[in-house]
Amino acid sequence: MHVIRGIRGTFQPFWVTLRNMFRKPVTIQYPEEKQQLPERYRARLILTRDPDGAERCVACHLCSAACPVDCISMQATEAEDGRRYAAWFRINFTRCIFCGLCTEACPTLAIQVTADFELAGRDLLKLVYEKEDLLVDHCGNNNSYNFYRQSGIGVAAPRGTNPGETPPADVKDLMP
Amino acid sequence: MSDMLVTLALILGKLLFIFGVVLFMAAYLVLAERKILGRMQLRYGPNRVGPFGLMQPLADVIKLLTKEDFVPARADKWLFLIAPGITAVTALLVFAVIPFGSPLEIFGRQVPLVVVDLNIGVLYFLGVSSMAVYGVVLGGWASNSKYSLLGGVRGLSQMVSYELSLGLSLVPVIMMARSFSLTDIVMAQQSIPFVLLNPVAFGVFFICVLAESNRIPFDLPEAENELVGGFHTEYSGMRFGLFFVGEYINMVVLGSLVTVFFLGGWNGPWLPPLLWFLFKVLAVCAMFIWIRASMPRLRYDQLMNLGWKILLPLSLVNILVTGAVLLGLG
Ligand code: SF4
Ligand code: SF4
């Protein structure tokens, strides 16, 4: 029994390799053929806009704090109407590891991942993306969320008038 | 005088021919091996450089030549530098006695298609091929690295154990051909190749040849998984390339030897002798590649057991049996 198994074990692999030789390889020939990527593939980051067309990012620095490789930096400023935004916003894609932690941290859904992974290049500085390169003209994967209309801050609309909000209580009414 | 010049020119011509063909074959064997291995593992193998990746060997050479030629700080410099050369050169030297075609008729004289038809060709082959291990051992020792040293030591002990059976498995061939000359051995196989007459000797010889070429399942001196790169761990650039090319030249040479000793050399119907020879050598090389794709590496004790406890007694018994049969037949 031992011997038979040994002999079988010696010759079977030859049959397996021979058979494989006449099968179609499973290789995807990359530049010509492309892989079907999963819908939630994590690659290049973008900064999205809210449904009203304004920038979502409020320059809260949460993404740069969450980033394990510290590749996000920005400068926060405030507009006339009290709206916070990033004066400049920079992601160094030579360091980014596409972990997606920044998107998890973002309270406004501003920073989001896309499936575009073809970032390779010879000039490293070209991989440092500025705000112009990051900012897109759509809402990304959420078409309805608008931070300023949820949080009770009277910037996009006066306080209490946003959907699902009750008007602020009149403190004088609450007297016993 | 002019007679001598013509002889000299013919020898030079044959040398150049062999040199060119063997190097060309070695280069494309690398490609063929990578492609066949790839297909056997459901990959394509190299197919980017030139049509079907046919320029890959050239790209490899350019890459190897432009890499840094690094010598480790505490290495034994001279030995380290010449070791790869030993491997490649000894492999090429063996080809001097291999007859690769039936004698040709050029300028009205018989030209044997072999560089020198030594009457002790078999002994020459055994002597030179065991020198090849010096490349492995010296390279491994001179690198001053534990992995290289282990690889070199393994190579040496493997060579010692298999060289014996290699030589002994050729004794029946010599007895059947009644000559040490490789040309005579091929001539003796005109009607029926020795592989059919003495399959045991063929089996032992083939296994020993595999061990001699340091290829899977006997690639213990390299053993990427345990020894990084074995004896060539510390080598880079073209010196590594020489080891690599040496291995493939060795493959061609050993393939030719299997052909000469057992597969009937250039003998074959219909096709020209040279083509038959080439075809048989390529078939043996393809077998090497197929084996590499299919077998795991032997463990060290298994290697030694196989060599000393199975192959050696087997080839000794085979010699006795062959001798008895030859005597019986008269
Ligand atoms: S994906 Fe990860 S590494 Fe890249 S910017 Fe976001 S947090 Fe940093
Ligand atoms: S992208 Fe999101 S987390 Fe980062 S600063 Fe802007 S709002 Fe904050």
Side-chain angles (χ1 to χ4, degrees):
Chain A
M1 233 26 242
H2 211 69
V3 176
I4 295 177
R5 270 205 13 228
I7 293 176
R8 249 225 344 248
T10 308
F11 287 101
Q12 219 168 17
F14 285 90
W15 163 239
V16 172
T17 44
L18 189 69
R19 200 181 43 192
N20 275 349
M21 194 158 153
F22 298 104
R23 287 208 186 134
K24 192 176 154 35
V26 293
T27 312
I28 295 170
Q29 308 249 42
Y30 164 61
E32 294 94 40
E33 296 167 27
K34 295 231 164 108
Q35 196 182 359
Q36 186 69 45
L37 292 176
E39 218 173 294
R40 299 179 57 176
Y41 192 84
R42 301 194 306 260
R44 184 168 59 85
L45 296 160
I46 49 171
L47 286 175
T48 57
R49 291 176 184 274
D50 62 28
D52 304 332
E55 283 172 31
R56 267 180 173 154
C57 175
V58 294
C60 66
H61 289 88
L62 284 177
C63 51
S64 68
C67 177
V69 293
D70 287 344
C71 66
I72 306 181
S73 48
M74 74 196 80
Q75 169 79 58
T77 36
E78 210 172 292
E80 291 284 271
D81 59 355
R83 209 180 159 114
R84 280 170 61 92
Y85 67 96
W88 51 263
F89 193 106
R90 185 175 299 144
I91 300 184
N92 184 350
F93 279 112
T94 59
R95 285 167 73 180
C96 177
I97 55 172
F98 306 117
C99 61
L101 288 179
C102 48
T103 65
E104 312 247 337
C106 182
T108 64
L109 297 189
I111 194 164
Q112 289 182 14
V113 287
T114 61
D116 172 25
F117 61 90
E118 289 167 312
L119 286 164
R122 292 189 179 277
D123 187 358
L124 292 186
L125 286 182
K126 283 206 178 115
L127 283 172
V128 178
Y129 277 42
E130 296 293 337
K131 191 169 164 187
E132 309 84 78
D133 311 315
L134 294 164
L135 199 62
V136 293
D137 261 338
H138 56 78
C139 303
N141 57 20
N142 189 314
N143 279 327
S144 55
Y145 185 68
N146 184 339
F147 173 75
Y148 281 107
R149 293 194 179 280
Q150 306 282 338
S151 56
I153 300 169
V155 171
R159 296 179 70 186
T161 56
N162 287 320
E165 268 180 7
T166 43
D170 184 351
V171 278
K172 293 190 175 134
D173 270 7
L174 292 173
M175 301 280 271
Chain B
M1 182 61 209
S2 74
D3 208 43
M4 226 177 86
L5 275 184
V6 172
T7 315
L8 217 66
L10 278 174
I11 288 185
L12 257 179
K14 281 188 287 195
L15 273 180
L16 283 181
F17 174 75
I18 288 180
F19 202 68
V21 169
V22 171
L23 280 185
F24 180 82
M25 274 179 77
Y28 275 89
L29 257 183
V30 179
L31 182 67
E33 166 148 49
R34 287 170 70 183
K35 280 200 160 266
I36 293 176
L37 277 184
R39 288 307 292 248
M40 285 179 168
Q41 295 164 356
L42 297 179
R43 303 181 280 115
Y44 282 105
N47 63 352
R48 291 285 151 177
V49 193
F52 303 106
L54 282 178
M55 301 309 283
Q56 185 70 39
L58 199 68
D60 285 344
V61 166
I62 292 174
K63 183 194 81 174
L64 286 172
L65 279 177
T66 48
K67 281 203 171 182
E68 186 188 357
D69 181 15
F70 183 74
V71 182
R74 313 251 317 263
D76 189 329
K77 191 146 180 256
W78 290 113
L79 286 183
F80 186 85
L81 294 184
I82 59 171
I86 297 179
T87 313
V89 169
T90 45
L92 270 173
L93 274 182
V94 178
F95 228 98
V97 291
I98 295 177
F100 50 91
S102 53
L104 275 186
E105 196 76 38
I106 303 179
F107 303 134
R109 52 151 89 204
Q110 282 285 91
V111 180
L113 281 189
V114 48
V115 178
V116 273
D117 184 14
L118 283 185
N119 55 0
I120 48 157
V122 178
L123 297 184
Y124 172 83
F125 149 61
L126 288 175
V128 172
S129 75
S130 29
M131 298 242 308
V133 75
Y134 278 105
V136 174
V137 175
L138 291 181
W141 185 77
S143 307
N144 193 27
S145 136
K146 50 184 173 294
Y147 298 120
S148 304
L149 184 64
L150 276 175
V153 170
R154 280 181 178 191
L156 187 61
S157 49
Q158 175 173 327
M159 206 60 63
V160 167
S161 358
Y162 281 80
E163 198 80 1
L164 265 176
S165 323
L166 185 81
L168 288 176
S169 68
L170 284 180
V171 174
V173 172
I174 294 159
M175 294 198 306
M176 288 190 288
R178 293 168 193 280
S179 168
F180 275 100
S181 151
L182 270 65
T183 313
D184 291 346
I185 290 176
V186 174
M187 295 289 196
Q189 298 177 70
Q190 224 138 28
S191 49
I192 179 160
F194 286 158
V195 58
L196 299 177
L197 287 181
N198 201 334
V200 179
F202 172 73
V204 174
F205 184 73
F206 194 79
I207 294 177
C208 292
V209 154
L210 269 180
E212 182 93 6
S213 66
N214 289 336
R215 290 173 57 83
I216 282 178
F218 302 103
D219 66 337
L220 281 127
E222 281 181 51
E224 291 94 345
N225 327 52
E226 322 147 34
L227 296 186
V228 191
F231 61 92
H232 60 57
T233 305
E234 304 292 341
Y235 281 90
S236 63
M238 204 52 213
R239 276 178 217 285
F240 165 74
L242 270 180
F243 268 133
F244 204 69
V245 163
E247 180 186 331
Y248 284 84
I249 294 176
N250 220 352
M251 225 166 118
V252 178
V253 169
L254 295 173
S256 317
L257 286 168
V258 173
T259 309
V260 165
F261 287 134
F262 289 99
L263 301 182
W266 66 76
N267 292 314
W270 307 309
L271 293 176
L274 215 58
L275 268 189
W276 262 115
F277 190 80
L278 193 70
F279 175 72
K280 287 175 182 173
V281 172
L282 287 182
V284 177
C285 290
M287 195 63 209
F288 281 178
I289 295 172
W290 192 13
I291 288 173
R292 171 161 179 195
S294 313
M295 300 211 88
R297 178 180 312 124
L298 286 186
R299 221 169 46 215
Y300 199 70
D301 58 325
Q302 292 169 332
L303 178 95
M304 285 295 151
N305 272 345
L306 181 67
W308 291 103
K309 293 193 189 160
I310 299 179
L311 293 182
L312 191 60
L314 198 63
S315 42
L316 281 175
V317 170
N318 190 30
I319 291 174
L320 289 181
V321 173
T322 313
V325 171
L326 283 179
L327 257 178
L329 292 177

